[in-house]
Amino acid sequence: MTTLPAAGRPYWPGSFNLSDAGGLPLRGGGVTRSGQVFRSARPDYLTPEGWRAARAAGVTTVVDLRNPGESTSEGDGVSAGAAPVGAATVTPGIQFVSCPTEDPTDPQFLELCGALLDHPLSYADNIRLYPRKFAEVFRAIAGAEGAVLVHCAAGRDRTGMVMAMLLSVVDVTPEAIAEDYVDAAMRFNAGLGVEPGLTEEKAHSAAAMEERMASRRSALLAWLESLDVESYLRSGGLTSGEIDSLHARLV
């Protein structure tokens, strides 16, 4: 992929839908720390220079939210949670961790979330079904020695769900969390039909995206308002020390 750099966002050659979770406003004042948590679409197309740029940015852990074998089924020959081809040889010191957020073979998941996988209306049921899966995601983020890259396939929904929870637990304002979600969805849509190998989805018009984002933004805010992320993560097995590490990473 050849996404060009944009003002205010990191650029690693071959990356797509990449952004830094730093600089977001906190409820109590101040902003989140930069250079600690990055989010993106699948990094399978990063060039060797791109991986070196990620490592130079401090990344030591890549948390892959895709399902095992998901990428292979898309034809790129890369399995979720594995280092993309060539990554390990140019990026010593980066650990690739597979942390799926769903079970696509679970009939209950398919019934409740299958038709809403690109909408925050699915998030409440998704996290209710798999508290331990989500605890593993946040354990990987909390335990990383350096910066973390969190990604799924598009960097939009599974990544958006996890990032919204992470930003909420460190007390980023709900409005900023919603804007972060919308920004990622808009970047993804802008790349459709432009970025080779991204997805077979078709890009939506500006008017359609405005309508889609309005409903998704309101659904995301309603979900966050109903959710105590810290209590939820504790119920999945996350320790007080791990939750403190999440705070220390971004605040």
Side-chain angles (χ1 to χ4, degrees):
M1 293 187 186
T2 56
T3 305
L4 296 176
R9 287 200 288 114
Y11 175 62
W12 307 337
S15 63
F16 180 69
N17 210 355
L18 174 66
S19 67
D20 185 336
L24 299 178
L26 299 165
R27 286 177 186 262
V31 298
T32 51
R33 297 171 62 201
S34 297
Q36 295 296 310
V37 179
F38 299 91
R39 60 177 293 171
S40 78
R42 54 183 180 161
D44 305 336
Y45 295 96
L46 258 69
T47 65
E49 292 78 11
W51 283 112
R52 282 190 283 268
R55 188 68 187 92
V59 173
T60 63
T61 302
V62 176
V63 179
D64 188 344
L65 306 178
R66 296 173 296 179
N67 301 310
E70 182 177 331
S71 287
T72 302
S73 69
E74 293 172 354
D76 60 21
V78 181
S79 297
V85 175
T89 61
V90 299
T91 55
I94 295 184
Q95 179 185 17
F96 295 82
V97 185
S98 178
C99 290
T101 59
E102 62 191 40
D103 179 357
T105 67
D106 180 356
Q108 190 175 17
F109 170 75
L110 294 175
E111 178 182 359
L112 293 171
C113 303
L116 294 166
L117 292 180
D118 67 343
H119 201 298
L121 286 175
S122 69
Y123 294 177
D125 285 324
N126 194 160
I127 69 169
R128 178 179 57 80
L129 289 172
Y130 309 118
R132 294 193 179 278
K133 287 184 182 293
F134 282 89
E136 287 303 311
V137 171
F138 286 91
R139 180 166 291 120
I141 296 171
E145 292 185 4
V148 179
L149 170 65
V150 179
H151 77 89
C152 53
R156 177 188 57 187
D157 292 297
R158 285 169 289 187
T159 300
M161 176 169 48
V162 166
M163 290 302 301
M165 294 172 71
L166 174 62
L167 297 174
S168 180
V169 83
V170 303
D171 226 17
V172 171
T173 65
E175 293 78 12
I177 297 173
E179 287 308 307
D180 185 63
Y181 170 86
V182 169
D183 286 348
M186 296 294 284
R187 287 194 302 269
F188 174 77
N189 186 70
L192 292 173
V194 177
E195 299 296 338
L198 178 62
T199 177
E200 293 183 357
E201 289 187 48
K202 303 298 183 184
H204 297 281
S205 68
M209 283 300 291
E210 183 175 353
E211 181 179 348
R212 288 169 65 85
M213 289 302 102
S215 66
R216 283 160 174 76
R217 188 181 191 280
S218 62
L220 181 75
L221 287 169
W223 172 62
L224 289 173
E225 186 175 1
S226 70
L227 177 64
D228 182 335
V229 179
E230 184 170 325
S231 296
Y232 169 79
L233 293 176
R234 289 182 187 277
S235 75
L238 218 64
T239 67
S240 295
E242 289 167 330
I243 290 172
D244 288 345
S245 293
L246 295 175
H247 282 272
R249 180 168 293 278
L250 281 173
V251 180

